[in-house]
Amino acid sequence: MKKITKTLVTTLAFYLSFSGVAQARSITSISPPTGPGQGDVLCTQVQTPVNTPFPNNDNSTAASQNQILNFPGLSCTPKTFQAIAPIDTQLFVEPSGGTTEYFFTETAVNNTNSTWNGFNFKIGLGVNDNFGPPELILVPTGTVIPDFDFNGSSSDPQPTSSKFTQLLQDGSFNIEWSGGSVAPGESVDFTFSVDVGDNLNANNSSGSFTIRELPIAESIPEPAFTSGFLALLGVLGSSLALKHKNKMNQG
């Protein structure tokens, strides 16, 4: 399995110290989603508790998966997008003693006026204007950010989508779906796995992480013949108006 304790050649540094004691984390609760993608929808402000029957279950089989079904949970499920903009969901964690893996299911509803031809998931810290992807933020030495888990061992479930067929892992902490469409009024189902990995030297400075979601809207250029036809109508209209004005002046 791809481990998330890799070094990023960016401002985020993961320092591996073998003299320290590794501390992993497990998810304890999920906050209500927030962000401009929700439009004027007000989500119930209630935390969703997370049950973790199999802590430290890295490389788990289906029989030993921690499941987070109908993400985000008690508040604003399914997740409805009123605008082509992000929705952030914050998950809180606590030390547990090893890498803990979670299997998520989710439904996203397209309540915008645009057809989606893709969908992006990103893991970072903070929400809304304070959200930052790991490669662009500074965290204390020894902090490990949870990461999406796929293309790993054969026992790990691969991400799925009910509408999209192509999955791109665009570097760490980011996956993007394409190869399909979700029309206004339709919904799309997703499944994915997240590893909540070891912090080092008993460092639990990051007590939460965020999953940011953003639909990708289809851009349809205006056909050339349509714009040309409209321009021709405008010219003809101006010409007729001018002729009518001259006729009136002559009369």
Side-chain angles (χ1 to χ4, degrees):
M1 176 188 297
K2 172 177 63 62
K3 296 297 181 183
I4 65 174
T5 53
K6 56 183 177 291
T7 302
L8 297 177
V9 286
T10 59
T11 57
L12 178 65
F14 296 155
Y15 175 71
L16 303 180
S17 172
F18 295 100
S19 62
V21 178
Q23 289 290 318
R25 292 159 297 164
S26 59
I27 299 172
T28 59
S29 62
I30 304 171
S31 280
T34 182
Q38 293 180 164
D40 57 0
V41 172
L42 296 178
C43 293
T44 305
Q45 296 300 298
V46 57
Q47 297 288 121
T48 300
V50 174
N51 182 31
T52 305
F54 305 106
N56 315 324
N57 65 328
D58 197 17
N59 289 322
S60 64
T61 63
S64 60
Q65 286 180 355
N66 300 299
Q67 297 188 345
I68 297 179
L69 306 180
N70 301 318
F71 180 70
L74 298 176
S75 179
C76 282
T77 300
K79 192 169 290 182
T80 300
F81 286 82
Q82 307 280 350
I84 305 300
I87 292 180
D88 295 339
T89 307
Q90 196 170 32
L91 301 94
F92 291 90
V93 296
E94 67 179 11
S96 64
T99 298
T100 303
E101 184 177 322
Y102 292 86
F103 176 75
F104 290 70
T105 70
E106 177 183 350
T107 298
V109 178
N110 182 359
N111 202 27
T112 75
N113 294 322
S114 302
T115 297
W116 302 348
N117 64 348
F119 201 91
N120 180 265
F121 292 87
K122 187 184 296 291
I123 287 179
L125 298 177
V127 296
N128 299 327
D129 292 341
N130 294 321
F131 176 85
E135 61 270 22
L136 297 180
I137 60 178
L138 289 172
V139 295
T141 300
T143 301
V144 174
I145 309 298
D147 200 359
F148 296 108
D149 178 24
F150 66 103
N151 294 332
S153 70
S154 58
S155 64
D156 292 328
Q158 298 298 295
T160 66
S161 171
S162 62
K163 293 287 189 179
F164 301 110
T165 59
Q166 299 175 17
L167 179 63
L168 171 67
Q169 183 188 18
D170 185 14
S172 300
F173 316 107
N174 186 61
I175 56 177
E176 186 164 297
W177 284 100
S178 61
S181 64
V182 183
E186 293 183 340
S187 64
V188 53
D189 298 326
F190 296 104
T191 70
F192 55 91
S193 296
V194 172
D195 273 351
V196 183
D198 298 347
N199 268 357
L200 306 174
N201 300 323
N203 175 7
N204 192 37
S205 59
S206 177
S208 67
F209 69 98
T210 298
I211 296 179
R212 166 166 284 192
E213 300 172 40
L214 176 64
I216 301 170
E218 184 176 24
S219 177
I220 304 177
E222 184 182 15
F225 78 88
T226 300
S227 57
F229 180 69
L230 292 176
L232 178 60
L233 287 179
V235 171
L236 290 176
S238 298
S239 177
L240 291 174
L242 180 60
K243 289 182 178 179
H244 178 71
K245 180 178 180 180
N246 290 338
K247 184 176 181 181
M248 293 292 292
N249 290 337
Q250 292 174 2

